[in-house]
C-alpha cells in the first residue's frame, strides 16, 4: 500500500509534551464549497454494497436501492471506490477506460441515475480520481508499449533500453521484459499499474528518458486527465477523492532506504493547484479530497481535505492491535483497545504538527475505517466501536465512515486467498454488507459460491434489519453521533481543537480534549480501556454546569480556584459534555 511511501514523507514532529492548553474559542474557516461545510461522508465499496441482479457482485442499481438507508444515517455525501471499466487486478483502481462504468456495475446511465437519486435526497457524491497510473491494458498503455513512436509513447515512463537498469535510486520501481518496446516501464503500485508520466522535477540530463514537467507529451497527458475530471463532473459528481495524490511528479532524489516512488511534492502541488483552479472556474462547488497523508502539502492551496492515515500515529489509534491479531506479528498496542496498553502521544505529535500547519487552509480527515485497512470491528465490541466513533465524529475535520462500520461489521479471516489484489487484511475488510438475516445476509440473491467475497459466516453477524429495531444498537448510536456532529457548533469541522489530557508521562488514559467555537465549549472524554480511569487537567474556561450530549456516566469535579478539573470515568466509557 502507500504506507511505505507516505511514512517517508511524514516528518514526525519532536516529542510532544502537552503544556497547559488554552481554550480560546477562535477558529478559521477554510474555503470549501457550501454543501461540504460540516459534511459527513459515507464510503461505499461498489463490489460489496448491494447486488441487484444476483450475479454475486454489487452494482449501481443495488446502491440506488439503498440510498434511503444511506440518507437515514444522517450523512451528507458519499465517496465511491472506483466503478470504472477495469481488468480488476487491484479491485478497479487499475482503470482501463476512464469514461466507462464497469459492465459488472451497470452502465453510464445507471451512474447518472445514481448521482441524480443521491442529489434528490440531498446528498452529494464524489468519485475516485485515480490518475497516478492506469491499468496495463488501458489503450494508452497498449499504444505506449509499441515499438513505433506514437502519441502515447511518452504518456508513461519508459527507459531507453530493457538491458540497462535505471539508476539505483529507482531500484524496484521499473518493470522489464514487457511489451514490444525496448525499455523498462515505471510502475506506481503493483507491476501491472504503469505510472502515468507527469514528468520529472529535476531530470538527469544524462538520462534522456526523464522528461521535464513541461514536455509537450506530458502536458498533453495532463490535459487528457483534466477531461476525465470534466466528464464525471458533467455526469453529476460533486468532486473527487484523489488516489495516491502525492505520487505524481517524479524526482531522482534519494531518500536512504525509504526511497520508493521518488516523488516531488512541490511539482506535484503545482498540478493539483491547476486542478483546483479548474474546479473553481468551471465547477465552483467541486470538492477535492486527497489520499496524500501529509496535510501540510495536500492543503497548500490544493485540496480541501486530506486523509491522514498513512502514518504511524494513526496505527497507534486503531490498527496495531488489529495487525497483531490478524498476522500474529506484534506491532505494539492500539490506544482504542480494551487492554489499555496503547499510547496516544505519537498520534498527537503528528496530528498537532499537521493541524497547526493547516489551520484555515483545509481539513484533516481521520477516516473511520476504509478499504485498505483492517475493519475497526476486529475483535472489538459494539461499545468499543462506539467510543471510536465518538472520537471520529468529534475531532476536527471531515468525518468519513466506511460502509458496514455503522453496524460493527467484523474483519474476516486471514485464511482467505486474495481477491483482486486485496491481500489481507484488505479482503477481510471488503466483505458484503450485511442487510438482514436473509440469504447471503441480504446482499445478493445469487449462489453463495458466486459472491465476490463470502459473507460473515458467524451466527451473530451484525445486520441492519435487526439493529434498526433496537434503539441502543450501534447503528442508532452512530446516527446519534452524526446528528451531534451536525448540531453542535463546537463540533463543527473548523472549531478549535485543544487536547487536555494525557499530559506528561502519566497514565495515558483517558483521552480528553476540548472543541470550541466562540463561547461554545464541548469536552470529549474517551476511556476505551476496560478499566476505570481518572484524570486531572487544567482548564481555563469558566462554567456553571455541564450538559451531557452523548455517552455514559462519569464524575466530574471542577476546582474553580485551582483552574483544574478532575474526572473519573468507568471502564469502556465516553462522554461528550457541553460546558454551560
Ligand atoms: C490507494 C488505494 C488502494 C490501491 C492503491 C493503489 O492506496 O486506496 O486501494 O490499491 O492506492 O492504487
Amino acid at each position: 500500500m502507500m504506507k511505505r511511501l507516505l511514512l517517508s514523507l511524514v516528518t514526525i514532529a519532536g516529542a510532544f509534551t502537552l503544556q497547559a492548553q488554552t481554550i480560546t474559542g477562535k477558529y478559521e474557516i477554510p474555503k470549501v464549497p457550501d454543501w461540504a461545510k460540516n459534511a459527513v461522508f459515507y464510503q461505499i465499496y461498489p463490489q460489496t454494497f448491494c447486488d441487484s441482479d444476483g450475479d454475486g457482485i454489487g452494482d449501481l442499481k443495488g446502491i440506488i436501492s439503498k440510498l434511503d438507508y444511506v440518507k437515514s444515517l444522517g450523512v451528507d455525501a458519499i465517496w465511491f471506490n472506483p466503478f470504472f471499466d477495469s481488468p480488476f487486478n487491484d479491485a478497479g483502481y487499475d482503470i482501463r477506460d476512464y469514461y466507462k462504468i464497469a459492465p459488472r456495475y451497470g452502465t453510464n446511465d445507471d451512474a447518472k441515475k445514481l448521482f441524480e437519486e443521491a442529489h434528490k435526497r440531498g446528498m452529494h457524491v464524489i468519485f475516485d480520481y485515480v490518475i497516478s497510473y492506469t491499468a496495463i491494458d488501458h489503450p494508452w498503455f497498449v499504444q505506449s508499449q509499441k515499438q513505433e513512436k506514437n502519441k502515447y509513447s511518452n504518456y508513461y515512463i519508459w527507459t531507453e533500453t530493457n538491458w540497462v537498469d535505471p539508476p539505483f535510486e529507482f531500484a524496484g520501481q521499473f518493470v522489464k521484459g514487457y511489451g514490444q518496446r525496448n525499455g523498462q516501464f515505471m510502475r506506481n503500485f503493483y507491476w501491472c499499474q504503469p505510472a502515468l508520466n507527469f514528468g520529472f522535477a529535476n531530470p538527469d540530463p544524462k538520462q534522456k528518458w526523464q522528461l521535464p514537467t513541461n514536455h509537450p507529451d506530458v502536458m498533453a497527458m495532463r490535459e487528457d486527465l483534466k477531461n476525465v475530471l470534466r466528464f464525471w463532473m458533467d455526469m453529476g459528481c460533486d468532486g473527487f477523492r484523489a488516489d495516491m495524490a502525492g505520487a505524481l511528479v517524479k524526482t531522482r532524489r534519494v531518500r536512504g532506504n525509504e526511497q520508493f516512488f521518488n516523488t516531488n511534492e512541490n511539482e506535484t502541488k503545482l498540478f493539483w493547484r491547476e486542478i483546483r483552479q479548474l474546479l473553481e472556474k468551471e465547477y465552483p462547488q467541486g470538492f477535492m479530497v486527497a489520499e496524500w497523508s501529509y496535510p501540510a502539502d495536500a492543503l497548500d492551496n490544493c485540496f480541501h481535505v486530506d486523509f491522514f492515515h498513512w502514518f504511524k500515529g494513526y496505527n497507534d489509534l486503531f490498527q496495531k492491535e488489529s495487525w497483531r491479531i490478524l498476522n500474529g506479528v506484534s506491532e505494539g498496542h492500539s490506544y482504542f483497545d480494551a487492554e489499555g496498553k496503547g499510547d496516544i502521544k505519537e498520534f498527537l505529535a503528528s496530528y498537532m504538527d499537521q493541524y497547526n500547519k493547516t489551520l484555515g487552509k483545509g481539513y484533516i480527515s481521520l477516516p473511520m475505517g476504509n478499504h485498505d485497512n483492517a475493519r475497526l470491528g476486529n475483535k472489538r465490541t459494539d461499545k468499543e466501536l462506539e467510543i471510536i466513533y465518538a472520537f471520529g465524529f468529534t475531532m476536527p475535520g471531515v468525518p468519513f465512515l466506511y460502509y458496514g462500520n455503522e453496524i460493527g461489521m467484523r474483519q474476516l479471516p486471514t485464511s482467505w486467498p486474495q481477491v483482486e489484489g486485496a491481500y489481507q487484511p484488505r479482503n477481510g475488510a471488503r466483505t458484503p454488507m450485511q442487510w438482514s438475516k436473509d440469504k447471503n445476509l441480504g446482499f445478493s440473491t445469487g449462489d453463495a459460491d458466486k459472491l465476490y467475497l463470502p459473507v460473515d459466516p458467524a451466527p451473530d453477524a451484525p445486520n441492519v434489519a435487526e439493529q434498526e429495531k433496537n434503539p441502543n444498537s450501534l447503528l442508532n448510536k452512530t446516527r446519534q453521533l452524526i446528528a451531534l456532529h451536525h448540531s453542535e457548533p463546537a463540533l463543527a469541522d473548523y472549531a478549535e481543537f485543544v487536547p487536555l489530557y494525557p499530559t506528561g508521562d502519566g497514565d495515558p488514559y483517558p483521552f480528553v480534549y476540548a472543541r470550541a467555537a466562540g463561547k461554545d465549549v464541548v469536552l470529549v472524554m474517551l476511556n476505551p480501556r476496560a478499566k476505570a480511569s481518572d484524570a486531572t487537567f487544567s482548564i481555563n474556561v469558566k462554567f456553571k454546569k455541564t450538559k451531557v450530549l452523548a455517552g455514559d456516566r462519569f464524575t466530574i469535579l471542577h476546582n474553580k480556584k485551582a483552574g483544574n478539573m478532575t474526572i473519573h470515568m468507568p471502564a469502556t466509557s465516553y462522554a461528550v459534555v457541553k460546558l454551560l
Side-chain angles (χ1 to χ4, degrees):
M1 260 163 280
M2 291 198 70
K3 210 165 161 189
R4 259 182 72 198
L5 155 72
L6 293 160
L7 277 181
S8 69
L9 297 180
V10 173
T11 328
I12 302 294
F16 180 76
T17 28
L18 252 173
Q19 309 296 333
Q21 300 280 300
T22 312
I23 301 165
T24 66
K26 290 193 184 130
Y27 54 82
E28 278 180 66
I29 306 183
K31 201 173 150 219
V32 296
D34 298 333
W35 67 265
K37 286 192 181 123
N38 225 14
V40 172
F41 279 73
Y42 188 70
Q43 179 188 346
I44 292 184
Y45 192 67
Q47 283 89 324
T48 48
F49 197 60
C50 182
D51 172 20
S52 73
D53 58 7
D55 68 353
I57 298 182
D59 46 53
L60 303 191
K61 286 200 171 100
I63 298 173
I64 293 173
S65 73
K66 296 295 183 187
L67 284 177
D68 287 334
Y69 166 77
V70 177
K71 175 72 184 170
S72 81
L73 298 173
V75 303
D76 308 275
I78 306 172
W79 157 36
F80 296 106
N81 286 104
F83 38 41
F84 313 98
D85 183 46
S86 164
F88 294 106
N89 289 313
D90 185 13
Y93 274 92
D94 46 331
I95 297 171
R96 179 166 52 201
D97 185 345
Y98 281 113
Y99 294 99
K100 185 179 166 196
I101 291 287
R104 73 185 198 182
Y105 298 137
T107 62
N108 285 21
D109 283 343
D110 294 335
K112 204 165 179 207
K113 175 106 173 100
L114 170 61
F115 307 153
E116 280 166 11
E117 291 294 324
H119 290 154
K120 265 191 212 160
R121 290 165 176 79
M123 293 185 288
H124 289 76
V125 291
I126 64 171
F127 72 103
D128 221 315
Y129 190 37
V130 191
I131 57 168
S132 73
Y133 59 83
T134 65
I136 196 144
D137 44 3
H138 189 290
W140 296 347
F141 191 77
V142 172
Q143 291 301 318
S144 189
Q145 59 80 41
K146 287 193 173 151
Q147 185 163 341
E148 245 165 55
K149 183 127 175 62
N150 61 61
K151 180 177 174 216
Y152 300 100
S153 300
N154 285 330
Y155 267 40
Y156 299 81
I157 302 166
W158 289 90
T159 62
E160 274 147 297
T161 153
N162 191 51
W163 305 121
V164 179
D165 289 337
F168 73 96
E169 70 248 36
F170 296 103
Q173 296 169 57
F174 280 77
V175 177
K176 62 174 145 185
Y178 185 90
Q180 291 179 352
R181 179 173 173 167
N182 188 3
Q184 304 184 16
F185 73 82
M186 193 174 197
R187 62 169 178 86
N188 239 14
F189 193 60
Y190 291 148
W191 74 271
C192 50
Q193 291 164 310
L196 281 165
N197 194 356
F198 284 83
F200 278 71
N202 48 355
D204 181 346
K206 285 190 240 114
Q207 308 278 338
K208 297 252 176 303
W209 54 275
Q210 299 182 1
L211 303 184
T213 50
N214 61 1
H215 187 282
D217 295 347
V218 168
M219 307 226 317
M221 190 282 293
R222 292 176 178 211
E223 288 309 310
D224 273 342
L225 291 176
K226 288 181 189 165
N227 288 333
V228 169
L229 172 58
R230 290 187 177 102
F231 181 82
W232 290 100
M233 295 299 285
D234 290 342
M235 182 83 90
C237 282
D238 303 290
F240 62 84
R241 171 263 192 191
D243 183 74
M244 293 179 60
L248 302 187
V249 177
K250 308 300 178 202
T251 181
R252 58 197 166 94
R253 180 185 51 196
V254 186
R255 266 193 237 111
N257 292 330
E258 277 300 345
Q259 39 162 308
F260 192 40
F261 288 109
N262 295 45
T263 37
N264 180 284
E265 295 82 27
N266 286 334
E267 288 282 345
T268 299
K269 282 197 254 179
L270 292 181
F271 172 76
W272 288 118
R273 282 186 197 146
E274 274 177 41
I275 297 289
R276 175 79 177 248
Q277 279 160 16
L278 183 159
L279 282 191
E280 281 176 4
K281 194 161 155 237
E282 299 174 32
Y283 308 94
Q285 289 293 305
F287 194 52
M288 296 172 64
V289 180
E291 184 203 33
W292 193 315
S293 271
Y294 195 76
D297 279 335
L299 305 179
D300 186 10
N301 290 311
C302 304
F303 291 86
H304 301 105
V305 177
D306 185 26
F307 283 138
F308 195 34
H309 59 121
W310 296 125
F311 73 105
K312 199 164 161 282
Y314 180 83
N315 291 346
D316 288 355
L317 295 175
F318 318 123
Q319 288 287 317
K320 276 185 170 171
E321 186 63 7
S322 308
W323 276 87
R324 193 165 73 78
I325 291 166
L326 272 172
N327 302 322
V329 182
S330 179
E331 286 207 21
H333 304 277
S334 319
Y335 189 79
F336 282 92
D337 274 313
E339 59 166 16
K341 291 191 186 151
D343 197 344
I344 204 162
K345 284 206 198 88
E346 178 126 10
F347 164 75
L348 276 176
S350 303
Y351 185 83
M352 291 313 289
D353 173 52
Q354 295 294 307
Y355 177 76
N356 289 323
K357 284 178 177 151
T358 56
L359 274 179
K361 295 184 178 169
Y363 296 119
I364 297 174
S365 174
L366 300 165
M368 282 168 267
N370 76 11
H371 62 293
D372 288 329
N373 285 300
R375 281 250 180 217
L376 297 175
N378 189 12
K379 315 267 176 200
R380 288 195 174 104
T381 63
D382 283 359
K383 181 70 202 187
E384 288 160 16
L385 286 172
E386 192 187 329
I387 298 174
I388 292 180
Y389 304 158
F391 166 77
F393 290 116
T394 61
M395 283 293 283
V398 180
F400 275 75
L401 181 70
Y402 186 49
Y403 82 96
N405 280 357
E406 71 275 21
I407 54 167
M409 273 177 63
R410 298 167 186 152
Q411 177 71 23
L412 293 180
T414 51
S415 51
W416 294 351
Q418 62 95 3
V419 173
E420 298 186 349
Y423 298 85
Q424 279 291 1
R426 303 205 296 179
N427 62 352
R430 298 176 177 186
T431 60
M433 179 68 181
Q434 297 159 197
W435 295 104
S436 64
K437 275 240 179 257
D438 297 342
K439 183 177 179 187
N440 300 320
L441 301 184
F443 162 68
S444 168
T445 54
D447 293 342
D449 61 358
K450 294 246 171 59
L451 300 190
Y452 179 81
L453 276 165
V455 295
D456 185 347
D460 65 344
N463 69 71
V464 172
E466 275 177 7
Q467 294 201 14
E468 287 285 10
K469 291 185 219 141
N470 174 1
N472 290 318
S473 63
L474 184 60
L475 173 60
N476 283 316
K477 293 283 182 184
T478 306
R479 286 183 170 130
Q480 286 160 21
L481 286 166
I482 293 173
L484 189 61
H485 174 89
H486 283 131
S487 64
E488 274 306 314
L491 296 180
D493 303 342
Y494 48 78
E496 187 188 29
F497 170 70
V498 183
L500 299 171
Y501 190 89
T503 42
D505 290 326
D507 186 353
Y509 292 84
F511 179 31
V512 183
Y513 50 90
R515 301 290 316 281
K519 290 212 161 53
D520 275 302
V521 182
V522 167
L523 290 191
V524 181
M525 311 184 238
L526 308 164
N527 183 31
R529 76 173 167 195
K531 192 177 142 202
S533 302
D534 296 303
T536 298
F537 47 90
S538 63
I539 182 148
N540 66 310
V541 173
K542 292 200 181 104
F543 62 96
K544 292 198 187 90
K545 52 181 183 170
T546 54
K547 181 181 168 200
V548 179
L549 302 174
D552 309 282
R553 270 182 309 114
F554 68 101
T555 315
I556 189 166
L557 295 169
H558 182 211
N559 186 336
K560 280 189 198 158
K561 232 177 175 180
N564 65 26
M565 190 183 252
T566 298
I567 58 167
H568 173 80
M569 301 196 68
T572 322
S573 70
Y574 76 95
V576 184
V577 177
K578 193 164 185 171
L579 305 185
L580 297 168

